[in-house]
Amino acid sequence: MKQFIELMPTRRSVIGASLVAGASVSLVACGSGNKTQGVPEPSGSAQNAVELSKLPVEGTASVSVQGHDYLLYRPDEATVLAYTAVCTHQGCSVGTGTGTTFKCPCHGSEFSKLDGSVIQGPAKAPLVRYATEVGSTEVRIFL
C-alpha cells in the first residue's frame, strides 16, 4: 500500500525563505561599491568654487560651497575634478592628501584624485563626484 503525503509549507519555512531571498537581493544590490564613476553630466546650478589662478596644474584645493565641503584636483590645464569631502566610511572630512590620493585622517582611507575610487580602506565606496566647469578666471561646481 502506497501513501501519499502532501507537505504544506510552514510559517517558519516561508519566513526563512523570505529572509534568505531578501539578504541575497541586498548583497547583490550593494556590490563592492568601488566602481569608478563616469564623468557626471552638469545639472543644477553652477557655483563658483575657487579662482582658477589659485589651483595650479596637479594642485588640489579644499573648498566650501553653499555650506558643504568639496575637494578639487586639476590634472591638466583644461580640467578640474570635484568630489565631496565627506568620507564614505564614517562621514569624516577627507583632506587634500599628497601625491595621487585624497586621505581621510580618521581611519586612513585613501581615494584616487583621478576618479574618487577607494585606494585603501576601510572605506568601500568611492567619493561622490560632481560636474565642473573651468572658466577663464573661475572654477564652478554644478550642485
Side-chain angles (χ1 to χ4, degrees), residues 12 17 25 48 72 81 96 101 103 106 108 137:
R12 184 177 292 171
V25 168
N48 288 342
L72 304 177
L81 308 173
T96 54
T101 62
K103 186 165 183 174
C106 295
T137 61

Side-chain angles (χ1 to χ4, degrees), residues 63-135:
V63 298
S64 184
V65 179
Q66 294 186 340
H68 298 281
D69 296 326
Y70 301 92
L71 296 167
L72 304 177
Y73 173 61
R74 187 175 182 189
D76 57 50
E77 282 290 329
T79 309
V80 175
L81 308 173
Y83 306 94
T84 180
V86 178
C87 183
T88 58
H89 175 238
Q90 288 190 344
C92 293
S93 290
V94 177
T96 54
T98 58
T100 60
T101 62
F102 296 120
K103 186 165 183 174
C104 179
C106 295
H107 302 105
S109 292
E110 293 185 29
F111 303 89
S112 168
K113 290 180 180 179
L114 291 175
D115 62 11
S117 63
V118 177
I119 301 298
Q120 176 178 311
K124 295 190 183 329
L127 294 176
V128 175
R129 185 170 169 187
Y130 294 87
T132 60
E133 178 178 77
V134 179

